[in-house]
Amino acid sequence: ALWASLTDVSAFPGWRKDLARVELLPDENGQRGWREHGKNDVITYRIVTSDPPRRLVTRIADETLPFGGTWTYELAPADGGTHLTITERGEVYNPIFRFVSRFVLGYTGTMTGVLRAIGAKHGETVTPESVAIAP
């Protein structure tokens, strides 16, 4: 069920309150794509790797943004349910946005929001664990 929620991108606005809508895009080089229309931005994504139901890697596919990178979702059985780990490998190209990201916005807010939202969708209260941030 968790894998289905992570891969049914057209249903994201139903459980992710940060999204107004999702636009499905044609495949590109065999990679599924979509565009998320958020409250403050629009970001295009592609699936890089899909190993159901264990591992999913997505990347930001919009080179005009001041940031980019990948999210790796890893699912593992845990206590009669599933443990979900999200690893972000991000890049911030613009020095001003890099400063704002580090000292004003923070790096983990979006991941925390997604983890809590998908937990709520599945009837769980999620408390994300501490994360390590590599420089």
Side-chain angles (χ1 to χ4, degrees):
L2 191 57
W3 179 264
S5 294
L6 291 171
T7 56
D8 183 4
V9 297
S10 61
F12 284 3
W15 58 271
R16 286 188 48 199
K17 302 305 177 209
D18 61 321
L19 295 181
R21 67 185 178 94
V22 170
E23 174 186 355
L24 299 178
L25 301 174
D27 287 2
E28 185 176 281
N29 298 321
Q31 295 180 338
R32 213 169 107 210
W34 69 96
R35 187 168 294 124
E36 294 182 359
H37 294 260
K39 295 178 181 174
N40 300 312
D41 55 14
V42 176
I43 302 176
T44 301
Y45 294 90
R46 293 273 170 201
I47 292 178
V48 177
T49 304
S50 179
D51 180 19
R54 294 181 180 89
R55 188 170 184 267
L56 178 71
V57 180
T58 64
R59 71 173 170 84
I60 294 174
D62 187 341
E63 296 177 5
T64 66
L65 296 173
F67 54 87
T70 63
W71 271 25
T72 300
Y73 301 84
E74 295 173 296
L75 293 80
D79 301 324
T82 304
H83 181 89
L84 172 61
T85 301
I86 301 174
T87 302
E88 178 180 273
R89 288 182 176 79
E91 303 165 344
V92 182
Y93 313 121
N94 181 306
I96 294 169
F97 194 74
R98 190 177 308 130
F99 176 87
V100 171
S101 295
R102 182 169 182 173
F103 296 108
V104 179
L105 299 175
Y107 294 127
T108 61
T110 303
M111 283 185 287
T112 297
V114 167
L115 286 166
R116 287 186 175 143
I118 200 165
K121 176 187 181 353
H122 291 275
E124 299 287 334
T125 300
V126 174
T127 304
E129 297 175 5
S130 299
V131 297
I133 299 173

